[in-house]
Amino acid sequence: MDFIDHISLVDIKNKKILLVLNKDRAKWQLPGGKRESNETDEQTLIRECKEELGIELIPKTIKYLETIEGQAAEKTNGVIVRIKIYTGKFLGIIALGAEVGKASYLSYSQVPDTSEIGWEYLTRLKKGGLIE
């Protein structure tokens, strides 16, 4: 079984969650991405948020939430994505990076499409009252 290591940011405002739609993808996802060689989780998250959203995460506010696993979107069966989810405060206003087509705070019902693991996670947040 193949694994994809992914580090993601969860940011919720007014019961809506920040999601991005990359230009080369059909499904919305949490901001973040793959680790580059020798990066820590925090370094990956800071770099990816800067590249995707133009924001500066404040390192001392970064907190690990959980790890989720499931079938990787747009990959063949048997490719599993392992997503380590963090939260953190940031400076700056969201400005889309070169790879990102859209970024928005969305309620559960506003999400056009996401991966199976994405729906599972968003459903859990909705049931927990964290998002609408």
Side-chain angles (χ1 to χ4, degrees), residues 32-67:
K34 296 176 192 168
R35 179 190 324 271
E36 291 183 358
S37 63
N38 299 320
E39 278 185 328
T40 65
D41 288 359
E42 290 82 3
Q43 290 168 332
T44 301
L45 191 63
I46 289 168
R47 176 184 52 75
E48 286 288 343
C49 287
K50 179 71 172 168
E51 289 174 4
E52 290 186 358
L53 302 170
I55 58 175
E56 297 283 343
L57 279 177
I58 303 167
K60 68 180 181 180
T61 68
I62 297 172
K63 303 227 179 325
Y64 171 79
L65 295 176
E66 64 181 305
T67 300

Side-chain angles (χ1 to χ4, degrees), residues 15-17 19 105-112 122 131-132:
K15 294 205 169 202
K16 294 183 178 188
I17 189 165
L19 296 175
Y105 285 90
L106 301 171
S107 67
Y108 184 87
S109 64
Q110 292 174 314
V111 179
L122 293 175
I131 62 173
E132 297 178 331

Side-chain angles (χ1 to χ4, degrees), residues 15-29:
K15 294 205 169 202
K16 294 183 178 188
I17 189 165
L18 178 61
L19 296 175
V20 297
L21 180 64
N22 288 339
K23 289 179 181 176
D24 65 343
R25 302 267 168 88
K27 298 182 185 289
W28 288 77
Q29 63 186 29

